[in-house]
Amino acid sequence: MTDQAVDTGGVRLSGHAAPEGHFLGRTRELKELRADIERAGLDTISGKKAPRARVLLIAGRAGSGRTALAEELVRQLADRYRDGVLRARLAEPDGTPVPVERAARTLLAALDVPTPPGADEDDLAALLREALAERRVLLLLDDAAGAEQVDALLPDTPECLLVAVSAGPLTGIADVRPCTLGGLDTKSALDLLTRFTGSVRITVDPRSAEGLVEACQGQPAALILAGGWLAARPQAAVADLAKQLHAEGDEGTPLSRVFRLVHAALPAPAARILRLLCLAPAGLADPHTASALAGCSVGAAHTTLDDLTALGLLRAVDSPLPQYEVPGCLHPLLRAAAETHDRPAELQLARARMLERTVRLLHSCRAITETDNPQAREKLQGLPRALRFPTPRAAADWLRVRRPALLASARLAVADGELDTLARRLMSQLVRAMVAHFGTQEAAPDLYGVHQLVLDVAERRDLPREKAAALLNLADVDARTGRTAEALVRYRAALDAGRAAGDPYAIGRAMESVGGAHLELGDYDRAADWFGRALAQRLARDERADAARLYGRIATAHTYAGRYGDAQRAWRAAAAGHRKNGDVGAHARALSELARVQEYAGRPEESLRTCQEAVEWARRAEDTRLQAAVQLRLADTLERLGDPVAAGLHRGAAERILGEELPGLQGHEGPPEHPGRTGRPGHPQRPDHRDTEPERPEHGANTCEIRSTSAED
């Protein structure tokens, strides 16, 4: 077994594997459910076409096998629905209803339909219905907490079928076809036990086996635990287990009685790990989760998880990485056992260890993408081997597989309404890892959810500094996904929150971002004004590097407003500031932009001299791509001045520079242009302030908190 964070070897059972086989029993229920699909509804009887999808309801208490029946029904019907099967869970393991907004995003993601980051529940439900309007899908909604959830996700087309799983009726949805589950029939229950024990122990004592089925009331979950107990004890007779169950008395459900017996028989370390899994986010655990919860090695945790799976206490998730699911029917039993056997302080410590491990894994997941960052490589090497990923691809795979659990970890971190240091670090590392591997566009819905969690806590507890940070981050996601008007509103709100907190960093960041949003919207006068306000604040605080960069942003706004004289003065100020600060690369880029504006202003000779100076500074900065870009600008300027020979020399120099840096570029049509080289003289193109301004800091550089307190950062 590998000691690294990602193990692609799959789940390896160390004990008796829980047997697998075809679905057992429920023949009558399956027949009735299939018949209900074809049965005429009230609309059909009245001569009208059914306006919505038909709803089949499988109802039963936890442990009745309701989800297994639903999955078997879906398996039998899947071929009828050309556009596939969609699945969503509508309740957390502890029974908390899942918001419709989150469930709709899950379903839309499965359909590869992009979702607006800030869309509310109604918008997403409408988008889902629109996406399903021309499709024929089978929709399985498990653990529905109420009719409102199901109704919001119900397709408007009769070509679709919705199968809902719930503990009770879905009152309020018209023409629901319910199927209420009891226990398995005796033959099917005995067959289920036989899968664990083999046929001999059942056939030699059929009366005791039937008594065991009766004690379990035919409930599949109880029978699975009973079978696991017997499978782990080949010498025990079925009568031995039946007697112990009868000794338990009639207190509680059959499932709770079998669980108490199984839990009591476990070795103490395994029993403790099992109980602590009630803290696993989204009911999903991997070896690292169990290791952190119990404070044991990853290898020991992996072995224990396999053994618990063999006993029917966990389910191995079909995944390229080892991952296990706590059955929903066991979650309340695990929580009750933990509250009985473990002190509150121990549970709190286990939760903190788990979240801390998650933070470190996320840090490792992000750091492996920074292969050109010596500091990141050094920090990565400082992590234990068990927390390191072998490749960026392995890190991305882990992030995708663990995504539901990681997002649930974020919700768990702020569930008590606090924003302590651990919660902040978790949010920060989760956001950065997702952006590093998936990019802002793909990760936007998840990023929005994480930042919204912080904002909700900050508003409830009246934390203006945290509110400002969350608003800035939400606005950054809006800005990067084309919702610039919405971003502007949030940036203004962040400015108000920053002023309320008296936080100069938040104030300056918000003012600059307001200017950036106006620039994106084409309001160049307001953009220059807000950049000027941010500049004044930076100068007052003697923040010279930021001041030099803001001169460049002001120059960009003036350029696109056609105020070339103001733009040249601002770029000269930016270049002078960078030079005083010793930032050679930024100084070269500022000179390059100044040359571009001089060309726009109809001063090609000045532009030529400035370009030549920029080339020299780019050479000092060892920025080969900038050297090439400025050489190309020189070539264009020389061509306009009527010197094609010199232009050809500079163009060739640019191609040689890039050819040495990126040999694959040789033989192509030409090197890529410098980002600022847009438009023709006097007619600059409309700016994208996220791409054309090289000195601007990236949006989202400060995630979840205005100044990171994370040691990893």
Side-chain angles (χ1 to χ4, degrees), residues 108-138:
L108 286 165
L111 292 169
D112 292 325
V113 176
T115 55
D120 60 18
E121 174 182 309
D122 293 337
D123 292 337
L124 290 168
L127 185 59
L128 177 64
R129 287 192 292 272
E130 180 183 345
L132 295 176
E134 301 300 325
R135 288 180 166 94
R136 182 176 171 82
V137 301
L138 178 52

Side-chain angles (χ1 to χ4, degrees), residues 32-315:
E32 291 178 354
L33 285 165
R34 292 175 67 101
D36 280 338
I37 301 172
E38 311 298 338
R39 192 170 298 155
L42 297 177
D43 291 294
T44 305
I45 293 172
S46 64
K48 299 177 181 178
K49 184 179 179 180
R52 308 182 80 181
R54 171 148 291 178
V55 179
L56 301 182
L57 169 63
I58 299 175
R61 62 185 178 183
S64 64
R66 58 193 186 185
T67 299
L69 175 59
E71 288 288 358
E72 175 62 15
L73 177 65
V74 166
R75 186 191 68 78
Q76 294 184 11
L77 298 176
D79 290 344
R80 297 189 186 182
Y81 296 87
R82 63 175 184 271
D83 295 308
V85 178
L86 298 177
R87 292 175 172 83
R89 289 186 61 174
L90 300 186
E92 300 284 8
D94 62 359
T96 303
V98 169
V100 170
E101 175 265 336
R102 196 194 312 162
R105 284 194 189 279
T106 299
L107 296 169
L108 286 165
L111 292 169
D112 292 325
V113 176
T115 55
D120 60 18
E121 174 182 309
D122 293 337
D123 292 337
L124 290 168
L127 185 59
L128 177 64
R129 287 192 292 272
E130 180 183 345
L132 295 176
E134 301 300 325
R135 288 180 166 94
R136 182 176 171 82
V137 301
L138 178 52
L139 184 59
L140 173 57
L141 301 181
D142 199 3
D143 287 338
E148 296 80 6
Q149 288 177 302
V150 176
D151 187 64
L153 302 171
L154 182 60
D156 281 339
T157 170
E159 298 298 314
C160 296
L161 174 67
L162 188 149
V163 178
V165 177
S166 178
L170 297 177
T171 305
I173 299 180
D175 205 22
V176 174
R177 304 302 172 93
C179 174
T180 304
L181 296 186
L184 286 171
D185 62 89
T186 301
K187 181 182 182 304
S188 298
L190 291 174
D191 287 344
L192 180 55
L193 284 175
T194 300
R195 287 185 177 179
F196 287 87
T197 65
S199 60
V200 175
R201 279 192 281 180
I202 300 299
T203 55
V204 298
D205 192 357
R207 188 177 299 276
S208 294
E210 291 174 2
L212 179 58
V213 169
E214 184 179 350
C216 293
Q217 295 182 7
Q219 295 294 306
L223 289 167
I224 287 172
L225 293 188
W229 188 92
L230 289 167
R233 296 165 178 79
Q235 304 305 316
V238 175
D240 297 332
L241 178 56
K243 289 176 183 177
Q244 292 194 45
L245 280 178
H246 284 301
E248 285 280 325
D250 295 330
E251 182 181 353
T253 65
L255 178 59
S256 65
R257 292 196 293 271
V258 180
F259 173 79
R260 286 197 298 269
L261 183 63
V262 172
H263 175 264
L266 288 173
R272 181 168 177 266
I273 287 180
L274 176 63
R275 294 193 303 270
L276 293 176
L277 289 179
C278 70
L279 300 175
L284 295 170
D286 65 355
H288 273 286
T289 303
S291 165
L293 285 170
C296 65
S297 71
V298 176
H302 196 166
T303 300
T304 301
L305 291 173
D306 289 340
D307 290 338
L308 295 174
T309 302
L311 292 171
L313 292 160
L314 299 177
R315 285 194 290 262

Side-chain angles (χ1 to χ4, degrees), residues 3 38 56 62-63 122 142 148 151 155 239 252 258 287 310 366 371 373 426 429-430 439 488 492 564 581 620 623 677:
D3 291 329
E38 311 298 338
L56 301 182
D122 293 337
D142 199 3
E148 296 80 6
D151 187 64
V258 180
R366 174 178 64 91
T371 54
N373 185 338
L426 175 62
Q429 292 297 341
L430 178 56
L488 179 57
R492 294 297 297 264
Y564 300 135
N581 296 330
R620 295 185 192 181
D623 188 337
R677 185 171 174 254

